[in-house]
């Protein structure tokens, strides 16, 4: 955990932004797989972690804005518990570790909240993501789960998003710690990728690296020779020479900060000519995008820049034609790049997505563009110093999409479908790094993970 002052300062700042009432943070409960004693690995709610640091189940906390008081609700282990779990830190000691002096048993929480609501004091809470959290909060507040969404505090969402968006030095340090583990995962994957290996052998080795270092994946990894499937969760293909494998994976840091890196690896150690060309285009788009990031620049403009670089590169190969800016204006790039350029990253890999992506990536003036491709851009607004964002352009040849566009003769003025046909089984290439917005520009976080064609080929042929 961070020192208690960190959590106290975070809560003080939050309290100053909320005008009145009480703020409820419900920690996550254990999540059973098939019965109560056999659970998925515990992951604390990220906002609870941010303000209260305690990475364990069955806790809740309340900030009383009007009285300036903070309470941790939970239960001490009983002797019967200790037989199974071993000695446990007392609740008051846990509270002390994060700078809280007042504790109470969980059973006191409903009456505490009822008292507040009887006095017409607002009870602020964030939108719960998990179903069990929805039920828990609806029970605590005596509100039907179906209407709980109407009670969510928009002012709290906005305050928390603003606060969590700007990363402090100790948070950057955690992200870079996560990236140092991801470096090990990614370089091991490059070395293990060879003809005859099964994707899951590499995915499993990466999981082993993370677990042996005391952490886990920040998200289920994508490791696939079908990188054209944007979120491909399967790892069962046998790799053969001439394939490229997309490895989109990242470890969590010990304090649960995410990392999220993608590399594309030639199976057999050498990219084919087509792969080199497509890879170079994606790398150029990624580096151009990173170079354009600085405070005040809208991320949707960075996204557009990357799209234009991709289309300009594809034009050199003959897959696109016409003016690249006009092609992007017409949406022609989305045949090859169907998603957004990146997202915020922090305690969540898609940071704060659970609070509502539009609160995180958009503003009252910058709305989500409903056009295909643009509609999945998670971040559009201007970036600020100390934001952490991913930059992850890609080129994805999706046969189903090619067939549909071709049949509809979509963007025919900008796409050479005969040439595209020659690439229909190409697969996909994605290159992703985690970027800190600095006062004057941007910095790629973490140890440099091999990225140029020469660097990747060296490791992949080792
Ligand atoms: Mn990502």
């Amino acid at each position: 955990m961070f020192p208690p002052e960190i959590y106290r300062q975070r809560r003080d700042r939050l309290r100053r932004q909320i005008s009145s009432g009480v703020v409820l943070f419900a920690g996550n409960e254990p999540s059973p797989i098939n019965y109560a004693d056999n659970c998925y690995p515990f992951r604390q709610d990220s906002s609870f972690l941010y303000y209260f640091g305690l990475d364990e189940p069955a806790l809740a906390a309340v900030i009383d804005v009007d009285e300036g008081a903070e309470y941790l609700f939970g239960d001490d282990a009983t002797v019967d518990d200790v037989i199974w779990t071993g000695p446990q830190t007392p609740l008051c000691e846990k509270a002390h570790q994060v700078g809280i002096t007042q504790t109470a048993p969980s059973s006191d929480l409903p009456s505490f909240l009822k008292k507040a609501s009887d006095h017409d004091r607002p009870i602020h809470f964030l939108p719960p993501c998990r179903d069990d959290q929805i039920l828990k909060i609806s029970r605590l507040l005596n509100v039907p789960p179906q209407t709980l969404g109407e009670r969510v505090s928009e002012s709290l969402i906005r305050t928390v998003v603003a606060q969590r968006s700007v990363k402090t030095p100790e948070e950057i340090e955690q992200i870079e710690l996560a990236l140092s583990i991801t470096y090990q995962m990614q370089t091991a994957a490059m070395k293990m990728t060879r003809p005859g290996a099964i994707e899951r052998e590499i995915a499993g080795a990466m999981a082993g690296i993370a677990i042996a270092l005391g952490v886990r994946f920040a998200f289920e990894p994508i490791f696939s020779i079908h990188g054209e499937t944007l979120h491909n969760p399967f790892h069962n293909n046998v790799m053969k020479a001439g394939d490229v494998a997309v490895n989109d994976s990242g470890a969590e840091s010990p304090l649960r900060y995410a990392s999220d890196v993608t590399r594309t690896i030639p199976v057999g150690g050498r990219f084919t000519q087509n792969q080199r060309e497509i890879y170079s285009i994606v790398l150029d788009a990624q580096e151009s995008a990173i170079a354009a990031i600085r405070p005040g620049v809208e991320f949707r403009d960075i996204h557009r820049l990357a799209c234009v670089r991709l289309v300009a590169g594809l034009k050199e190969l003959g897959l696109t034609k016409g003016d690249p800016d006009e092609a992007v204006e017409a949406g022609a790039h989305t045949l090859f790049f169907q998603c957004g350029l990146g997202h915020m990253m922090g305690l969540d890999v898609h940071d704060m997505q659970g609070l509502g992506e539009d609160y995180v990536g958009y503003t009252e003036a910058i709305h989500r563009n409903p056009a295909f491709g643009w509609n999945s851009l998670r971040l559009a607004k201007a970036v600020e110093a100390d934001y952490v964002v991913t930059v992850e352009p890609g080129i994805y040849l999706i046969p189903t999409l090619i067939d549909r566009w071709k049949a509809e003769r979509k963007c025919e003025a900008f796409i050479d479908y005969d040439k595209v046909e020659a690439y229909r089984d190409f697969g996909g290439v994605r290159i992703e790094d985690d970027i800190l917005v600095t006062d004057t520009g941007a910095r790629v976080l973490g140890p440099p993970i091999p990225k140029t064609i020469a660097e990747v080929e060296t490791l992949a042929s080792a």
Side-chain angles (χ1 to χ4, degrees), residues 142-450:
N142 202 20
V143 171
Q146 297 83 349
T147 58
L148 191 67
E150 299 161 16
R151 304 287 202 96
V152 161
S153 168
E154 197 174 328
S155 63
L156 180 62
I157 294 174
R158 290 186 188 284
T159 303
V160 170
V161 167
Q163 193 174 355
R164 282 180 55 189
S165 292
V166 177
K167 270 62 181 181
T168 52
E170 65 276 2
E171 294 185 284
I172 303 299
E173 196 181 310
Q174 283 291 314
I175 292 171
E176 295 211 278
L177 209 48
L179 281 162
S180 67
I181 300 169
T182 297
Y183 170 91
Q184 294 194 40
M185 286 162 35
Q186 288 278 351
T187 51
M190 288 177 192
K191 290 177 194 162
M192 286 183 72
T193 296
R194 56 169 49 93
I198 309 173
E199 293 163 348
R200 60 174 177 259
E201 294 168 358
I202 285 81
M206 291 195 295
I209 289 170
I211 291 168
L213 291 167
V215 300
R216 291 182 176 272
F217 288 134
F219 55 96
E220 281 305 299
I222 296 160
F223 187 94
S224 181
I225 54 173
H226 285 293
E228 76 279 11
T229 303
L230 299 181
H231 281 177
N232 193 333
F234 303 108
H235 306 131
N236 293 323
N237 294 303
V238 178
M239 298 187 279
K240 55 184 194 311
D243 291 334
V244 280
V246 165
N247 180 14
D248 185 343
S249 55
E252 277 191 335
S253 75
L255 298 189
R256 303 288 199 172
Y257 283 81
S259 59
D260 183 9
V261 170
T262 307
R263 291 293 183 265
T264 301
I265 310 165
V267 181
R270 289 278 174 267
F271 289 105
T272 65
Q273 187 58 29
N274 280 357
Q275 289 164 358
R276 299 176 81 80
E277 287 165 354
I278 297 283
Y279 190 97
S280 301
I281 295 168
V282 177
L283 185 57
D284 163 73
Q286 201 230 16
E287 290 177 335
S288 305
I290 294 170
I293 293 177
R294 61 180 186 280
V297 176
E298 290 177 12
F299 200 75
R300 61 182 176 181
D301 290 334
I302 306 290
H303 173 78
R304 185 181 292 104
L305 168 73
C307 294
V308 170
R309 300 299 305 179
L310 292 173
V311 168
L314 289 167
K315 185 180 172 182
E316 283 182 38
L317 300 185
L319 280 80
T320 61
K321 52 192 180 180
D323 178 67
D325 286 294
E326 287 173 24
V328 169
E329 203 53 47
H333 63 286
T334 61
L335 180 61
F336 310 97
F337 182 41
Q338 300 83 8
C339 57
L341 182 68
H343 49 84
M344 298 268 236
M345 196 189 77
L347 278 166
D348 309 310
V349 62
H350 294 171
D351 211 20
M352 301 171 281
Q353 192 177 303
L355 305 184
E357 204 169 72
D358 285 357
Y359 290 111
V360 180
Y362 292 80
T363 68
E364 265 151 32
I366 298 178
H367 299 278
R368 193 178 289 262
N369 178 341
F372 176 63
W374 287 94
N375 59 358
S376 53
L377 183 60
R378 304 183 192 283
L379 173 62
K381 71 183 184 187
V383 297
E384 292 175 22
D386 300 322
Y387 280 14
V388 172
V389 301
T390 68
V391 176
E392 47 180 311
I395 290 178
Y396 311 105
L397 278 298
I398 303 172
T400 316
L401 189 66
I402 294 169
D403 290 342
R404 188 164 95 192
W405 277 46
K406 194 177 170 187
E408 293 173 1
R409 308 176 74 169
K410 207 167 165 184
C411 292
E412 230 177 9
F414 300 107
I415 294 168
D416 183 333
Y417 282 102
D418 290 338
K419 192 75 187 179
V420 170
E421 279 300 334
Y423 283 78
R424 70 181 281 121
D425 297 320
F426 176 89
V429 169
R430 170 158 70 251
I431 304 172
E432 174 180 24
D433 285 297
D434 304 334
I435 311 298
L436 172 67
V437 183
T438 63
D439 290 337
T440 53
R443 173 167 81 84
V444 178
L445 290 171
I449 297 173

